[in-house]
Amino acid sequence: MFGDLAHDTAAAPDAPMLPSAHRVRARTVETADAVTLSLAPLGAPRPRFRPGQFMMLYAAGVGEIAISISGDPTDTAGELVHTVRKVGAVSRALHDAAPGAIVGVRGPFGAGWDLESCTGRDLVIVAGGVGLAAVRAAVLGAVAARGDFRRVVLVVGARRPAEILYRRELQDWADGGVEVRLTIDQPVQGWSGPVGFVTEPLARLDLDPGRTTALLCGPEAMMRFSARVLLGKGIRPPDIRVSLERNMQCGIGLCGHCQLGEILLCRDGPVLDYAVAGPLLHVREL
């Protein structure tokens, strides 16, 4: 298929079921099992994305999966940035794609973090593990428009220091006005920072509940416990937003594989406020 796609620069970027060809321009190793791919369009660029949206990435002969967009939302060059962790056949093929390889792209799809609605408020971003990839665009957007927000706090949790994504960028974000708080689950030699689950530094934050919006991404248990901490501080459920994952196959609400209750996450999510998501996340095996 990609033999044709790579030469068909007229592939319509707005056709939801037709992947357009992108070439891997750069591949950056983040951790032992995660890389960041910079994808340059071979034809017309995809439509502009919003932080929190995702793309369907296609590895020729293997399959297609949904991956959050991790790039800078202010970049107008048309390049896409995705951080991929190898956990299955498709993600492994994408993870291993070398510069020059061709990747199929559909999207962008889904609802984003809606940073515009956070103007004039404190912004608390909480990420667990690879969930940091799904909020990176929001962090970059907040740094680019730092004057639009009062306080910007990024709380990042990981099992070990070696599993923290974007280690080279954290200081840049701090220099850009973001309060960066890191924690790891278990003590390891050489680590002098906080140890404990991500809820612990979150619980220590002094927040203004009436003027705070929180963005959460990570394992569902982490998001539930983090939301509980924020609710305990008086933050309203509509001001807590979570990014959820399910089996997304079409990206446009047709196949139904990503259904969560009455919601289709590819269409109505992946970002939902906790007034909607909270009751669903407390239903076992939903």
Side-chain angles (χ1 to χ4, degrees):
M1 178 179 181
F2 271 121
D4 296 331
L5 255 185
H7 295 92
D8 183 11
T9 57
D14 58 346
M17 299 303 291
L18 178 64
S20 61
H22 285 58
R23 190 180 305 278
V24 178
R25 185 191 61 78
R27 179 180 183 272
T28 302
V29 175
E30 301 287 353
T31 67
D33 60 358
V35 301
T36 295
L37 301 178
S38 297
L39 306 176
L42 296 187
R46 307 299 303 182
R48 292 287 297 276
F49 72 91
R50 301 187 303 275
Q53 289 189 300
F54 67 95
M55 293 286 189
M56 299 296 297
L57 300 187
Y58 175 72
V62 184
E64 186 181 51
I65 55 173
I67 300 288
S68 296
I69 304 169
S70 303
D72 186 346
T74 67
D75 183 10
T76 59
E79 188 166 278
L80 294 172
V81 176
H82 294 271
T83 297
V84 181
R85 179 171 174 249
K86 56 180 179 181
V87 294
V90 182
S91 59
R92 181 177 296 275
L94 293 168
H95 172 280
D96 294 344
I102 304 298
V103 172
V105 175
R106 292 194 294 119
F109 298 124
W113 294 111
D114 190 16
L115 291 182
E116 293 80 6
S117 69
C118 305
T119 298
R121 297 172 62 83
D122 294 336
L123 188 61
V124 176
I125 303 172
V126 185
V130 76
L132 184 55
V135 299
R136 180 177 182 263
V139 174
L140 294 174
V143 170
R146 183 62 188 86
D148 290 350
F149 311 98
R150 299 199 317 165
R151 183 185 182 194
V152 180
V153 183
L154 173 64
V155 182
V156 177
R159 287 181 295 181
R160 297 180 291 272
E163 296 182 24
I164 298 175
L165 297 174
Y166 315 126
R167 294 291 297 272
R168 294 174 292 274
E169 300 179 47
L170 295 174
Q171 187 59 53
D172 292 339
W173 297 346
D175 293 342
V178 177
E179 300 174 36
V180 178
R181 314 288 178 92
L182 304 178
T183 185
I184 61 171
D185 293 352
Q186 300 291 333
V188 296
Q189 186 174 7
W191 175 259
S192 59
V195 175
F197 295 122
V198 70
T199 50
E200 296 180 31
L202 183 62
R204 291 192 291 268
L205 287 178
D206 184 15
L207 301 176
D208 181 350
R211 302 188 65 178
T212 298
T213 300
L215 316 180
L216 314 180
C217 189
E220 288 189 3
M222 181 226 86
M223 291 191 288
R224 288 198 307 271
F225 286 116
S226 295
R228 182 182 300 175
V229 171
L230 293 166
L231 292 169
K233 290 179 176 290
I235 298 177
R236 299 167 55 248
D239 293 328
I240 301 171
R241 300 170 190 171
V242 296
S243 182
L244 302 180
E245 289 186 356
R246 288 298 185 273
N247 181 15
M248 299 181 186
Q249 294 191 11
C250 72
I252 57 174
L254 291 179
C255 72
H257 285 88
C258 66
Q259 185 171 1
L260 180 67
E262 297 180 354
I263 291 171
L264 294 175
L265 284 177
C266 69
R267 181 194 65 196
D268 307 314
V271 177
L272 299 172
D273 73 57
Y274 207 68
V276 175
L280 297 173
L281 291 180
H282 285 85
V283 178
R284 288 189 64 182
E285 299 183 5
L286 183 60

